[in-house]
Structure formats: structure tokens, C-alpha cells
Amino acid sequence: MEERAALLARVSAGHGTEIKDPATGEVIGRVAFGTPGDVAAAVDTAAKAQPGWAALDDQERCAALMRAADAIDAHAEELAYVVSREQGKTMNGLGARYEAAGCAAWVRATASTPLPVEVLVDDGQSRAELHYRPIGVVGAITPWNWPMIIACWQIAPALRMGNTVVQKPSEYTTLTGLAIAAVLNEALPPGVLTAVTGAGDVGDALVRDPRVGKVMFTGSVKTGMKVIEASAGNMPRLTLELGGNDAAIVLPDVDPQAIAEGLFWGAFINNGQTCAAMKRLYVPDAIYDEVVDALAALAAKIPMGVGLDEGNVLGPLQNQMQWNVVNRLVEDAKVRGARVVMGGDPDAAAPGYFYPKTLIADIDNAAPLVQEEQFGPALPIIRYTDLEQAVEWANGVDVGLGASVWSADRDTALAIAARLQAGTVWINSHGGIDPRVPFGGAKRSGYGLEFGVEGLKAVSVPQVISG
Ligand code: NAD
């Protein structure tokens, strides 16, 4: 066995469901999926461990998180190997090694963010302070696209604030979820982080458990709505990081060659399977052909293939379900007469869930490829002549995670950014995140914030001490 495969072997069960490499179909391990009945025991463990963990002072919890980040670094290549084999992303580029390094960086940043007591009033007559207390047990439910780092985004702040965590990875990336939990647990006291496996019914049981005081949920809008419904019984607090359909608006004053790379990776990071990837590109008539040509020339040079091959920087889609979504939307665009600039011609007989890099030009804004979240490597490029129309189109969907404006003039870009209905608007880039900067959605992309001080506050109960 390859040395870096040791962690994958460690978290694979000897029996249960076969897990296949999405690039090759090869069996890489087995998972014994849990049932809703397993949730109570996991929550028990977390509930018992919580008072002791909360009793540590903040510095001690931060020190444990720092050791957890060191453990991630020590196992970085093994973690990257697991996620590459199970999720499909390439080892290189903005892929598996990048995700593993991001996990360590985020855990460290979470342990380094100061959260002092806020003195709200101190006028000689009265004094009011705002403290942030632990909630108790946090349920952490993750999707399959960035399965390690999203788990860290949920787990690290929850632990920092004195909560314990029950984590439920996506059923599509269970081995990766178990792997990151195993590595974090090398540095954490027993019971502080527990993983349960299984599908949506297990997630639902976690949301409904009366001892869970907070649910961190990252996934689709549809499931997010179910989580809201399921939470009505016990009212756990919710952070919902849901789907997006991010628009990018290019202004006529840009240099198409200069922005092509930023546009490409904004859209194709992780093969488009990224919540805040650029999913619709609005380009003015005056430079439309130049932008499309520059993107196509760049895209043609980007190697796609099996994730373990060091030369590749884009891999397959993670699963058949997502492949079908992308294929349906592109086929529909073709029927509507949109222009296929490149791609759109998958080889259904080839092994794995590969879908080629696809650029679709001259597409109507009303087409489903524009209006729905494709979550894959197929970018619609919509031509506009009136900037007001482009802003209206950008805002014309029911989600609002990210957006971007591309212009040589910062003031113009800022004025447009202020009008876009999205949790983050990037200027001359798309999708970059930073552990110091809060991240969250507008509209149906969810509510609540992750990262930075805001992210810490979101996994705690504010308490006012007055007098
Ligand atoms: P999904 O909603 O199908 O699943 C997410 C998780 O929820 C999985 O662990 C799943 O088992 C669980 N689940 C399913 N039904 C449940 C229920 N009734 N109760 C509780 N949990 C349940 O999403 P997915 O397909 O895994 O992920 C893709 C989606 O996630 C995309 O829409 C993407 O945009 C979104 N996403 C958002 C962010 C963000 O930060 N906003 C980040 C990554 C992905």
C-alpha cells in the first residue's frame, strides 16, 4: 500500500457499502452507513464531554485547536489522497492539497481570532457587558464538494467557543469526513468531536435531537428548507450556507486577456462544484467576442483527468446525480440555440463522471443553464447591451451567495457592487475567501455568517451582564 493511503485504509470499514473513485470507478473502501438510531448515542457522547470542554479556558481550547492544525499538516498528504480518491478533485491546482492546507490555515485562524468581552455601556452609572457563552452540542452537516474544509469551518469555531460537535458528513464523501475527524481527534480530548455516518435521514435526526442546540448546515437550498422545518420542534439555532447562482458582470473598460484567468478559475474552481463559484457571466456586447475567445483559449490549455495524475488540475464530477444535472442543462441550452464554444460533448461510455470544460455563448438569460445552479464545469456567457439590464438579470434569481464586478474603474465597480443582492461581492476576482472575513448568503442562499469574529459569535449564546 502506498504510504499516503494509510489514512484511507484506517477510516474504511471492513464491510458495508463500496465507495468508488469518481474518476475510475475503482473501489477505494467501504463505509458502514449509520441510521437515525445512531444519532442519540453520538449526541450522548458529545453532551457528556461538553461541560469539561467548556470548563477549559479559551487559551486551552485554542491550544488544542493549534495542535489539531499541526495534526492536519502532519497528515496533509494522506488527507489530500482521501479527498482526491473519494471526491475526485485533483491533487494539484485548487484541488486536494489546496483543500488540506486550507483546513490547517482555517483551524489556526479560528484559534487566533480574538473575541474580547464587549463593554456596551460604562458611563459611571451603569455598566453592561456582552459575553459569548457556549451553546452546548453543535450538529455539523456538510456537503460533498469541499468535504474537509467545510467540516473544519463548522467544527473549529464551534469547539473554540466551548461547544462539542457531532459531525455528519455527506453520504457521498463519508470517508473524507471520517478522515478529517480522525486527524482532528488526534489532538482533541475524547468525546469533543464525534462523527455519525449516513444519508439525509441521519442528518434529520441530528437536527431533531433535543440536546442539539445549534445546527451548522451547508448544502442545497432544498435541504436547507427541510432543516428549517425539522428545527421547529426544538428550535436549535441555525447557520445555513446554501446554494448559489453567482453572477459576474464585466464592464466594457476591462482588458479581456488580463481578466481571462480570473474569470476562468472563478467559474471552474473544483470543476464548478463550489458554492460561490461564478455560475453566470454577463459580458457587454462591445467586448463580448474578445472575452469569449480569451476564455476559450485559456480553458483549452487546462488539463482535466484522474485526480492522482500530478499533471491534472481539473477532475471528474463527484457523482452521477451532478453529472446528470450538468448534462441536462447543457443539452437544453443547445436545443434553445445557444452557441457551444467548447465542450458540451461528454463521452458517456468513458469511465468516471467526467464532463468536459464547457463554455456556452449567446444564451438567453431565461435558459435553465442560467437560472439554475449547474454546480459543474459549464459556464453560460450572456451578452448584454444595457448595464441596467445586466444588474437586473444578476439580481433576478432567488439566491444570493456571491457576485463579482470586473472593471478598470474602482468607483464604478463599487457603485454596481452596492446594488447586487449577494452576501459577498468581489471586484476583479471571484470566490476568494479569507478566514478573517465573514462569509454568508443573501436571499435563499441562507442566513448566518461563518469565519472571523462573526463566525465565532454564531456558535455561541450572547449573554449580557448588566450592573
Ligand atoms: P445536500 O443538501 O443534498 O446535502 C447536504 C447535507 O445534508 C448532506 O450531508 C446530506 O446527507 C444532508 N441532508 C440531506 N437531507 C437532510 C435532511 N432532511 N436533514 C438534514 N440533513 C440532510 O447538498 P449537496 O448536494 O451535498 O451539496 C451541494 C449544495 O451545497 C449546492 O447547492 C451548493 O451550492 C451548496 N453549498 C453551499 C455552500 C455555502 O457555503 N453556502 C458551500 C458548499 C456547498
Side-chain angles (χ1 to χ4, degrees):
M1 183 178 71
E2 274 190 82
E3 204 181 319
R4 64 182 175 171
L7 182 60
L8 176 59
R10 191 169 129 200
V11 296
S12 294
H15 60 285
T17 307
E18 286 182 343
I19 303 298
K20 293 182 179 163
D21 184 329
T24 61
E26 190 191 334
V27 175
I28 60 162
R30 285 172 179 273
V31 169
F33 280 120
T35 67
D38 297 324
V39 168
V43 178
D44 263 356
T45 303
K48 285 195 183 110
Q50 198 268 332
W53 177 245
L56 298 179
D57 67 30
D58 186 44
Q59 280 181 345
E60 289 174 289
R61 288 197 298 271
C62 288
L65 286 175
M66 287 297 193
R67 290 194 296 275
D70 293 343
I72 293 170
D73 281 342
H75 290 285
E77 186 68 8
E78 289 171 279
L79 285 166
Y81 182 84
V82 179
V83 75
S84 178
R85 302 256 20 219
E86 185 177 45
Q87 202 281 338
K89 64 183 68 186
T90 51
M91 292 296 280
N92 285 324
L94 302 174
R97 290 188 179 112
Y98 174 77
E99 184 170 357
C103 289
W106 243 271
V107 173
R108 281 198 184 97
T110 304
S112 314
T113 303
L115 181 57
V117 172
E118 294 168 36
V119 178
L120 306 172
V121 180
D122 188 15
D123 59 6
Q125 290 175 342
S126 59
R127 183 174 167 91
E129 297 173 354
L130 187 53
H131 296 247
Y132 291 91
R133 310 295 192 200
I135 297 170
V137 177
V138 171
I141 303 175
T142 41
W144 47 260
N145 57 338
W146 291 91
M148 288 197 290
I149 200 164
I150 293 176
C152 290
W153 292 348
Q154 299 180 340
I155 293 166
L159 294 180
R160 162 79 193 273
M161 297 310 292
N163 309 287
T164 53
V165 176
V166 176
Q167 177 217 3
K168 210 284 298 164
S170 166
E171 59 274 38
Y172 290 104
T173 47
T174 306
L175 292 168
T176 307
L178 295 176
I180 189 72
V183 169
L184 292 170
N185 270 327
E186 289 182 5
L188 297 171
V192 160
L193 170 63
T194 311
V196 287
T197 63
D201 54 348
V202 177
D204 180 70
L206 187 58
V207 177
R208 288 178 194 273
D209 192 293
R211 293 161 300 170
V212 171
K214 166 95 197 190
V215 174
M216 303 286 289
F217 175 80
T218 303
S220 62
V221 175
K222 203 167 136 212
T223 311
M225 288 177 172
K226 289 188 193 160
V227 168
I228 293 170
E229 278 185 37
S231 73
N234 296 302
M235 279 178 64
R237 287 149 190 269
L238 300 178
T239 293
L240 300 174
E241 294 283 4
L242 308 179
N245 191 357
D246 290 15
I249 300 181
V250 173
L251 300 192
D253 63 358
V254 298
D255 171 359
Q257 296 296 336
I259 64 167
E261 191 166 359
L263 291 177
F264 180 81
W265 285 112
F268 287 82
I269 178 170
N270 200 29
N271 238 349
Q273 302 166 113
T274 300
C275 50
M278 178 198 303
K279 291 167 184 159
R280 303 174 281 154
L281 177 57
Y282 294 95
V283 179
D285 194 33
I287 55 165
Y288 189 86
D289 293 337
E290 289 95 315
V291 171
V292 171
D293 290 349
L295 261 177
L298 186 97
K301 292 190 219 138
I302 305 293
M304 176 185 273
V306 175
L308 292 186
D309 180 335
E310 298 284 345
N312 292 326
V313 291
L314 286 179
L317 287 164
Q318 203 277 329
N319 55 62
Q320 184 73 54
M321 170 190 72
Q322 203 57 46
W323 192 97
N324 292 346
V325 170
V326 176
N327 192 50
R328 169 177 64 79
L329 293 172
V330 172
E331 289 304 313
D332 170 273
K334 287 188 205 165
V335 170
R336 285 164 182 267
R339 175 162 60 96
V340 180
V341 178
M342 70 184 299
D345 55 349
D347 178 359
Y353 305 123
F354 285 98
Y355 196 93
K357 295 158 285 179
T358 298
L359 296 173
I360 304 288
D362 294 319
I363 181 168
D364 191 82
N365 188 60
L369 179 60
V370 180
Q371 295 297 316
E372 294 177 29
E373 185 186 36
Q374 70 277 54
F375 219 56
L379 180 67
I381 310 168
I382 307 104
R383 191 190 292 265
Y384 77 85
T385 46
D386 172 9
L387 182 57
E388 287 304 308
Q389 173 80 88
V391 171
E392 195 180 307
W393 280 340
N395 288 335
V397 295
D398 60 7
V399 285
L401 193 55
S404 59
V405 184
W406 301 70
S407 171
D409 185 81
R410 184 170 168 79
D411 289 339
T412 310
L414 287 174
I416 295 166
R419 296 173 59 201
L420 293 179
Q421 297 161 356
T424 302
V425 183
W426 290 277
I427 301 202
N428 295 328
S429 68
H430 196 114
I433 48 171
D434 182 317
R436 299 163 299 184
V437 178
F439 178 75
K443 302 201 268 189
R444 289 187 182 176
S445 290
Y447 44 74
L449 290 168
E450 291 186 292
F451 313 162
V453 179
E454 301 299 330
L456 296 180
K457 291 179 180 177
V459 277
S460 52
V461 185
Q463 183 187 51
V464 172
I465 300 290
S466 190

